[in-house]
Amino acid sequence: MIDASDTALVIEGGGMRNSYTAPAIVKLIEEKVRFGWVGGVSAGSVHALNYASQDAHRAREAFTNFAAHEQFGGWMHFARGHGYFNAEFIYERSGDVLPFDWEAFQANSDIDVHVEAMRADTGHTMQWTRRNIDSLESVGQISRASSTLPKVMPMGFIDGVPYVDGALGYSGGLLIDAAEKAGYSKFLVLATKERSYVRPTVTRPMATRRLFTKHPAVAEALIVRPGRYNASKRRILELEEQGRAHVFFPDAMSVDASERNLAKLTANYALGKAQMEREWDSWVEFLQA
């Protein structure tokens, strides 16, 4: 066991790109690395919840074999008006295929959890922690809300409130600010974008606003997201420079966010695993310092 209770695990989203960081979650579970806090949005929320339940099998399957399920989605599903990803099935009706271990999640209560989504009606960021993740049903609803890509997936609702991707919230997609506000000063960050990545400015804001006339808050969040994301990224790099953050930046990412081809996802998983294994000793050194 590695006691990392003084460290926050911050996980970037990125759809199926998270097949690259999935082996890191598996390794952290198998090596019994115990963080005090784990946070993620969008696909990163799935990683965060799987880590908090200490379920290595689900962490691996969620971004590899599960994508090959006939109900997972695809372009035919999108053409029927139900979204590219079948969000209802993936997050709320897949218990027989990929069950979430609610009992284990409850048993690992020493690991705090932080997931965010953005209210589509107001633009406000909603935050969930162990205090308000109170049932198996809420796990599915919250991870769906945090992962709902506008126009790509049907909107998720909780208690009648519409939500979209947590990456459109105040953090821009990197929960470093939330981790610091939780009192942590040491961070392991799992990124799905390369070190040099800078999110580009939205060049046609009026077109974005026309696309979301029913949800103007979503349009505004898309427009301001680059600034928020880049600010969070700069903060992470500052912390890394200070020796307070250790960051896993992918150097061989081979899929995009919408990939569903199992062979490609499996290969991407293997690439992420190989890089993680190369860097593992430095992770351990950082966590034990």
Side-chain angles (χ1 to χ4, degrees), residues 128-265:
W128 290 275
T129 67
R130 278 199 179 270
R131 289 186 296 276
N132 51 8
I133 303 175
D134 56 10
S135 67
L136 177 59
E137 181 183 22
S138 71
V139 169
Q141 291 176 333
I142 290 165
S143 55
R144 176 180 178 178
S146 184
S147 303
T148 297
L149 299 169
K151 299 296 186 183
V152 178
M153 299 161 71
M155 203 165 288
F157 288 81
I158 300 177
D159 296 329
V161 176
Y163 288 96
V164 290
D165 200 307
L168 298 184
Y170 303 142
S171 72
L174 296 167
L175 292 181
I176 192 65
D177 182 56
E180 290 194 273
K181 286 182 177 178
Y184 288 85
S185 58
K186 189 176 177 182
F187 315 90
L188 179 68
V189 181
L190 303 181
T192 55
K193 301 289 195 302
E194 63 274 17
R195 176 179 290 274
S196 62
Y197 178 78
V198 176
R199 185 165 288 278
T201 301
V202 174
T203 56
R204 300 180 62 192
M206 291 306 297
T208 300
R209 292 185 177 104
R210 285 195 294 270
L211 192 61
F212 293 95
T213 54
K214 293 183 179 179
H215 295 98
V218 175
E220 296 309 313
L222 286 165
I223 292 166
V224 302
R225 186 195 173 192
R228 290 172 168 175
Y229 178 93
N230 294 335
S232 294
K233 174 80 170 285
R234 286 194 299 271
R235 179 56 180 162
I236 288 170
L237 294 176
E238 288 172 1
L239 291 164
E240 182 186 48
E241 181 68 22
Q242 296 167 14
R244 295 166 54 198
H246 193 86
V247 190
F248 178 71
F249 286 113
D251 60 17
M253 181 68 67
S254 63
V255 302
D256 61 23
S258 62
E259 186 60 67
R260 286 196 59 230
N261 181 284
L262 180 56
K264 291 181 180 180
L265 292 171

Side-chain angles (χ1 to χ4, degrees), residues 19-20 23 64 264-276:
S19 56
Y20 198 94
T64 53
K264 291 181 180 180
L265 292 171
T266 302
N268 200 52
Y269 183 98
L271 290 169
K273 182 177 181 180
Q275 181 182 343
M276 179 269 299

Side-chain angles (χ1 to χ4, degrees), residues 10-27:
V10 178
I11 310 169
E12 183 174 11
M16 302 312 292
R17 293 168 66 90
N18 284 74
S19 56
Y20 198 94
T21 48
I25 302 299
V26 172
K27 180 77 167 180

